[in-house]
């Protein structure tokens, strides 16, 4: 038989392995414990939540307090499907949840189990988007290679004509052909994305984010403030430094361009890092992933563009190429990660998720 302390450690490890959020409250409706899934679901830390009143630590439960109190008083649980829990200023969380009373000696308590439906919908959507992006990328790669071959021939023919007719009148025409061929060649190369596999080494994610921040500040953009909110406890991960810098830089520049569309207002970009436990990416569950948020207070993404922002050549700006976000998504995908976006007027958040290990299917 395991000692009591060893059994407790083992039980905590098992609870942290669950994708179901579990919260235990005592007879005073104070949180006695919660697992990692509950921390991620409600954005609370275990150290700050334990021993706090349930509705103070997790305000989402405030509207449900009378029902929870009644369940404790009557010692009778309940089940509710597709319940929407929310707190002021945040989007609601849709869950199926069960409340079960229990006795700890002579003291009563409640066990709250919550299955987040938004998460399962997100996983399904991410898998569909990953398949769509892969299909579109294969199509684009095929077209790009078909375009590159005749482009080389056109440019070579223009150079031969330039040698054959070196006079200024003909040279003007051949130079136009060569410059346009080079411009299209550059566009095709960008469509194809990186032409090498990631060279992965151990690195600190904050070094990457700080490097991007310094690059952006060096550009001297006016009326934009960059804020930092880093979690220093995030461990090193194995990744290609240059590709991650390019991916984060593309996302930050996208935010800067969105803020430039609102002249006369003070733009704010916040760079935030967090660690998330038991996170699923494209059907693969990872014990721990690094999360990099790039948040801006711009106008938001138009509804008609939101589902298309990671497709090449899709942009809401007249001078945009629509390649920054697709290239960033491709680079993050090559690391087993994912970029997600949430947007409304006044707040757009791009979240980059990078796993620390290959993960295991649920």
């Amino acid at each position: 038989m395991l000692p009591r302390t060893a059994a407790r450690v083992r039980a905590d490890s098992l609870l942290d392995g669950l994708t179901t959020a579990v919260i235990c409250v005592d007879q005073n409706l104070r949180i006695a414990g919660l697992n990692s899934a509950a921390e991620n679901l409600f954005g609370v830390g275990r150290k700050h939540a334990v021993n706090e009143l349930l509705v103070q630590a997790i305000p989402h439960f405030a509207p449900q307090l009378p029902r929870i109190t009644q369940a404790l008083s009557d010692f009778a649980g309940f089940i509710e499907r597709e319940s929407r829990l929310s707190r002021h200023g945040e989007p609601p969380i849709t869950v199926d949840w069960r409340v079960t009373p229990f006795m700890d000696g002579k003291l009563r308590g409640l066990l709250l189990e919550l299955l987040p439906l938004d998460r399962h919908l997100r996983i399904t959507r991410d898998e569909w988007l990953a398949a769509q992006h892969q299909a579109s990328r294969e199509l684009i790669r095929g077209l790009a290679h078909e375009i590159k071959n005749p482009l080389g021939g056109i440019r070579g023919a223009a150079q031969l004509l330039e040698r054959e007719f070196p006079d200024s009148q003909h040279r003007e025409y051949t130079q136009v052909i060569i410059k346009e061929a080079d411009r299209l060649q550059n566009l095709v190369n960008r469509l194809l994305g990186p032409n090498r596999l990631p060279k992965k080494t151990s690195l600190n994610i904050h070094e990457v984010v700080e490097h991007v921040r310094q690059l952006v500040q060096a550009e001297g953009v006016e009326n934009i403030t960059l804020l930092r909110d880093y979690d220093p406890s995030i461990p090193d991960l194995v990744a290609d430094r240059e590709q991650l810098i390019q991916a984060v830089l593309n996302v930050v520049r996208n935010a800067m361009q969105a803020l430039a569309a609102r002249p006369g207002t003070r733009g704010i970009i916040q760079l935030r890092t967090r660690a998330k436990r038991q996170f699923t990416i494209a059907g693969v569950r990872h014990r721990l992933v690094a999360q990099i948020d790039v948040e801006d207070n711009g106008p938001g993404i138009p509804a008609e563009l939101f589902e298309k922002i990671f497709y090449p050549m899709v942009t809401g700006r007249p001078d945009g190429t629509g390649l920054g976000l697709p290239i960033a998504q491709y680079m993050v995908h090559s690391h087993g990660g994912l970029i997600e976006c949430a947007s409304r007027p006044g707040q757009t958040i791009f979240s980059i998720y990078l796993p620390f290990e290959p993960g295991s299917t649920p």
Side-chain angles (χ1 to χ4, degrees), residues 102-147:
F102 67 88
M103 294 292 295
D104 184 10
K106 295 183 179 181
L107 302 176
R108 294 184 174 187
L110 293 175
L111 187 68
L112 283 63
E113 301 170 75
L114 304 102
L115 180 65
L117 302 183
D118 297 305
R119 177 177 178 275
H120 290 282
L121 293 173
R122 182 191 63 79
I123 292 170
T124 302
R125 178 178 176 275
D126 289 347
E127 290 176 344
W128 180 81
L129 285 177
Q132 289 289 90
H133 290 152
Q134 182 64 27
S136 65
R137 180 161 182 79
E138 291 300 322
L139 175 63
I140 288 168
R141 289 181 70 89
L143 287 173
H145 284 296
E146 290 298 320
I147 293 170

Side-chain angles (χ1 to χ4, degrees), residues 247-299:
V248 177
L249 183 60
N250 285 5
V251 175
V252 172
R253 281 186 172 151
N254 184 77
M256 293 169 61
Q257 291 159 359
L259 292 171
R262 300 180 67 184
T265 60
R266 188 68 182 176
I268 298 175
I269 297 176
Q270 184 165 34
L271 303 175
R272 182 170 50 247
T273 63
R274 293 290 185 269
K276 291 185 74 72
R277 298 177 183 272
Q278 305 302 333
F279 192 81
T280 302
I281 300 175
V284 179
R285 184 156 61 95
H286 301 273
R287 289 179 298 169
L288 189 67
V289 300
Q291 176 181 343
I292 306 169
D293 289 339
V294 179
E295 179 179 343
D296 69 73
N297 64 337

